[in-house]
Amino acid sequence: MQQTRFYPIGTPGQPWGDAERAAWRTAQTRQRSHADDVVARVDALRTRFDVAVYDQLDAGGRCYPLLAIRSRDWRPDLPVGVVTGGVHGYETSGVVGALEFLEQSAADFAGRINLLVVPCVSPWGYEHVQRWNIDAIDPNRSFRAGSPARESAALVALLAPLRGEVLVHVDLHETTDTDESEFRPALAARDGVAFEPGGIPDGFYLVDDSERPQPGFQQTVIAAVERVTHIAPADADGEMIGSPVVAHGVIEYPVVELGLCAGITGARYVTTTEVYPDSPRTTPAECNAAQVASIVSALEYALAHR
Ligand SMILES: [Zn+2]
């Protein structure tokens, strides 16, 4: 469908300044509680895992604890597995999937791999059901030294000491209908460029690192998820969201160059999950289960291919 309206903030063709960013911020509303949905659920895990507040985020008059959950029996002789969710706060199954993994499956890996799970990288985005942070910055284009996104800088600092020790990193995301209806038009408006309509793949897919692809790893995760929910097909051009489909359900990005979360650990096995929650063929519970299946299959594959 052709998108003809202009985004309601800013002047078409001109990048936003401070006034436009402030107008955008004012338009955001708090819709759910990080304390109730995430912090309380993490507190219930404290009997089984080590929970640390690795930083705090002050945003919009609130102070959010940034929480990391670690294996209690952390052993220096074991490899490290990292799971990150809620880099994009609106992508709910990434947050819930990380929590469900901790609640249901993480114990199965005790004594095999040291786990570090950050279920909600962007609490303000979670509460406001937003892709960007409060400063209208996309955290998932901002994982680099000196990042202007505080959420990204805090995660980079948390993981920096583990560089070289991380064997596998799974970053949990969604691709939603609101990407096309809201977030891509907002991005075009913010940057003063024309909005080019695109498509949203119907189903789950993965993003591999084009610079260091691991096709066997990606296909193992796809096969595990396919038992839970459907995998997105390529479009008529053999692509998904403008990128060539390199294998069933897989596209590739240069994750470090783009400042994506998947690039920050340097792990041999890295993937970004993309669940599609708006499909009539799936449910929220199935999307959460797809995230858990991704994590479990990724960890098992990495441990079997060290
Ligand atoms: Zn995302």
Side-chain angles (χ1 to χ4, degrees), residues 29-187:
T29 54
R30 185 169 176 266
Q31 299 177 47
R32 51 191 182 180
S33 166
H34 178 253
D36 292 349
D37 300 349
V38 179
V39 179
R41 215 159 149 179
V42 169
D43 279 341
L45 293 164
R46 286 178 187 270
T47 54
R48 293 189 280 153
F49 299 94
D50 290 340
V51 177
V53 178
Y54 63 91
D55 208 339
Q56 66 177 38
L57 179 73
D58 294 305
R62 288 177 184 274
C63 178
Y64 301 97
L66 299 176
L67 298 170
I69 297 95
R70 282 185 175 80
S71 302
R72 176 145 292 166
D73 52 347
W74 192 279
R75 281 171 34 189
D77 57 314
L78 295 179
V80 176
V82 172
V83 177
T84 44
V87 164
H88 287 139
Y90 72 111
E91 296 171 1
T92 306
S93 73
V95 178
V96 178
L99 292 167
E100 284 194 359
F101 165 72
L102 288 162
E103 292 162 353
Q104 299 169 4
S105 306
D108 299 341
F109 293 92
R112 301 167 63 202
I113 189 167
N114 297 320
L115 294 172
L116 192 161
V117 179
V118 178
C120 190
V121 172
S122 300
W124 184 90
Y126 177 83
E127 289 199 336
H128 294 76
V129 193
Q130 249 303 331
R131 181 177 180 85
W132 292 341
N133 72 3
I134 195 170
D135 299 316
I137 299 170
D138 187 338
N140 209 28
R141 298 295 181 276
S142 309
F143 287 98
R144 49 174 62 93
S147 176
R150 289 171 288 163
E151 298 87 346
S152 306
L155 190 69
V156 167
L158 172 72
L159 295 173
L162 294 174
R163 191 146 187 106
E165 297 175 39
V166 182
L167 176 66
V168 51
H169 175 197
V170 183
D171 189 32
L172 308 174
H173 285 256
E174 295 180 345
T175 300
T176 70
D177 288 346
T178 51
D179 288 341
E180 185 70 2
S181 64
E182 167 63 25
F183 299 126
R184 290 178 191 164
L187 174 65

Side-chain angles (χ1 to χ4, degrees), residues 170-299:
V170 183
D171 189 32
L172 308 174
H173 285 256
E174 295 180 345
T175 300
T176 70
D177 288 346
T178 51
D179 288 341
E180 185 70 2
S181 64
E182 167 63 25
F183 299 126
R184 290 178 191 164
L187 174 65
R190 186 196 70 184
D191 295 346
V193 300
F195 170 61
E196 303 284 350
I200 298 294
D202 181 357
F204 179 96
Y205 65 98
L206 292 173
V207 182
D208 197 0
D209 183 357
S210 58
E211 306 308 296
R212 299 188 310 143
Q214 288 284 356
F217 170 66
Q218 308 296 337
Q219 281 309 307
T220 297
V221 177
I222 288 288
V225 172
E226 200 155 30
R227 292 193 280 274
V228 176
T229 192
H230 62 289
I231 306 302
D235 64 19
D237 298 322
E239 297 182 339
M240 282 190 285
I241 57 167
S243 292
V245 174
V246 297
H248 181 42
V250 181
I251 62 171
E252 295 176 343
Y253 288 156
V255 298
V256 173
E257 181 188 324
L258 290 176
L260 302 182
C261 185
I264 56 176
T265 63
R268 188 191 314 166
Y269 301 111
V270 165
T271 197
T272 303
T273 67
E274 295 286 352
V275 164
Y276 179 51
D278 298 321
S279 174
R281 298 167 60 193
T282 195
T283 63
E286 209 172 270
C287 290
N288 299 335
Q291 302 282 24
V292 175
S294 299
I295 301 164
V296 169
S297 59
L299 294 174

